[in-house]
Amino acid sequence: MANIIITGCSSGIGFATAVMLAKNKHVVFATMRHPSQHQELQDIADNKNLPIIILPLDVTKDNSIKNAISQVLFYTDKIDVLVNNAGIGTLGSIEELPIEDFIEQMDTNFIGTVRCTKAVLPHMRKKKGGCIINISSVGGKLFNYFNAPYSASKAAVEAFSECLAMEVRPFGIRVAVVEPGVIDTPLQDKCKSRIGETSYPNLERSIAFFSAARDHHVPPEVVAETILQIVNGESATFRNPTGPDSKPLLGFRASMSDEDWIAGADIDDQTWISMMEGMQLDVRKYLTRL
Ligand code: NAP
């Protein structure tokens, strides 16, 4: 039984992970920005008698993190696991996205991870053990057009995690990275709402790719299962690609040179559609310009 803090539990992967870990007898401190607006997790915890304690935590606010950790340490004297899950997404061209979107993306996905990690490290180091699980993304290693703020933030999480793993290893603290492919959560709906008029026609391809991939309806429980295996010590790998499209997408990128990858921006719609259909992605219905 481990005491586990998870960020971003109001929906999606955080929500599913909180439920799965609690069902597997772990004590979960499920944190979210606005607990009063999200009653569902509390209801499940009550109805199924699950060890879930919901606490407010905004990863962009130092005081909020400090208060949450103090409250966790009021319930228990040991934090075994931190899951840095909270995240946002943005799709758009570098030229057209406001600088605020880049700042918010980095502040939430990357600096939020750094803040929460720094908040638990003194505790884990003194206890000589612990585990920090950072939710990255295939997008943290595969860099595609119109995904710059998100990919940059997740690439930063990847680099940070590897440095962290080496620094804390002497203290018995383990670090693992989870790299989901496209998972069916509210994340993409929140992304799309930011897209307005554009001078970049190929932005449609990015939206079509994510929409078609989401049609495969890979549930967030798939990621929760990977996190459970890491927590239970059943997976000892540092990087954990997760979901049916994760390894194929990373393999596809690794199979070509950087120059060929970038030149992929030149291919015509028909060739691009055929390539996507080769990956079982029915993008045609999402390309309005056809
Ligand atoms: P989601 O359902 O939108 O969940 C994101 C969670 O992060 C929500 O609980 C959201 O809370 C929370 N959050 C956002 N900003 C926050 C902040 N400042 N402080 C605290 N919490 C904050 O999306 P998801 O797909 O489950 O995403 C979870 C993680 O998986 C993210 O790191 C994401 O990048 C990663 N991921 C997702 C996919 C995918 O295809 N879905 C693929 C790869 C990686 P609010 O309700 O308050 O907004």
Side-chain angles (χ1 to χ4, degrees):
M1 194 253 340
N3 296 315
I4 301 171
I5 302 174
I6 310 173
T7 63
C9 290
S10 70
S11 61
I13 293 167
F15 185 104
T17 303
V19 173
M20 190 174 291
L21 292 175
K23 279 185 178 167
N24 281 274
K25 313 277 183 241
H26 298 294
V27 176
V28 177
F29 296 91
T31 71
M32 55 185 84
R33 275 194 285 200
H34 308 294
S36 61
Q37 295 170 17
H38 300 279
Q39 187 57 32
E40 202 187 337
L41 188 57
Q42 185 67 62
D43 290 345
I44 292 177
D46 293 345
N47 293 339
K48 298 194 187 296
N49 204 17
L50 295 176
I52 296 178
I53 296 122
I54 297 175
L55 297 172
L57 189 157
D58 183 331
V59 299
T60 64
K61 297 190 166 67
D62 284 320
N63 267 347
S64 168
I65 297 168
K66 200 171 152 213
N67 288 341
I69 300 295
S70 303
Q71 287 189 62
V72 171
L73 291 172
F74 174 78
Y75 284 99
T76 174
D77 65 350
K78 193 155 183 271
I79 299 168
D80 298 296
V81 181
L82 166 68
V83 183
N84 282 309
N85 165 75
I88 54 172
T90 311
L91 276 181
S93 75
I94 294 165
E95 180 188 343
E96 292 163 334
L97 284 173
I99 196 71
E100 289 74 18
D101 278 11
F102 287 82
I103 293 167
E104 188 189 5
Q105 191 80 63
M106 291 303 284
D107 196 24
T108 306
N109 295 5
F110 174 49
I111 305 294
T113 294
V114 178
R115 284 191 191 96
C116 293
T117 300
K118 282 174 73 64
V120 299
L121 273 184
H123 173 85
M124 287 185 176
R125 188 172 45 73
K126 277 182 205 131
K127 295 282 179 182
K128 295 189 169 36
C131 176
I132 297 172
I133 302 172
N134 293 334
I135 310 304
S136 176
S137 169
V138 164
K141 290 169 82 184
L142 181 155
F143 309 138
N144 212 356
Y145 41 16
F146 310 112
N147 211 13
Y150 185 78
S151 268
S153 72
K154 291 298 187 179
V157 168
E158 293 271 341
F160 167 78
S161 302
E162 213 167 299
C163 298
L164 177 69
M166 295 179 80
E167 288 183 23
V168 299
R169 190 179 166 89
F171 303 103
I173 301 168
R174 183 186 168 197
V175 179
V177 177
V178 177
E179 297 164 332
V182 178
I183 308 294
D184 192 0
T185 72
L187 188 81
Q188 283 128 39
D189 301 327
K190 297 175 195 171
C191 267
K192 277 183 203 165
S193 65
R194 288 163 178 250
I195 293 161
E197 300 251 310
T198 179
S199 304
Y200 288 75
N202 278 342
L203 177 52
E204 260 209 350
R205 285 190 188 170
S206 265
I207 299 164
F209 166 80
F210 284 111
S211 302
R214 196 176 172 192
D215 284 347
H216 289 187
H217 298 301
V218 179
E221 284 72 18
V222 167
V223 185
E225 183 64 45
T226 297
I227 295 169
L228 177 66
Q229 284 172 7
I230 296 168
V231 169
N232 286 349
E234 291 154 12
S235 161
T237 48
F238 175 69
R239 287 196 165 83
N240 298 268
T242 296
D245 60 1
S246 183
K247 278 188 180 162
L249 283 169
L250 292 171
F252 178 63
R253 174 62 185 91
S255 73
M256 61 180 82
S257 68
D258 296 342
E259 292 72 22
D260 285 345
W261 174 253
I262 291 164
D266 296 338
I267 60 177
D268 58 54
D269 277 344
Q270 212 42 60
T271 311
W272 183 75
I273 289 167
S274 304
M275 219 164 75
M276 292 297 114
E277 285 173 349
M279 291 193 269
Q280 275 76 53
L281 293 170
D282 183 8
V283 288
R284 190 181 293 273
K285 65 183 174 198
Y286 294 110
L287 285 181
T288 55
R289 66 177 179 229
L290 287 183

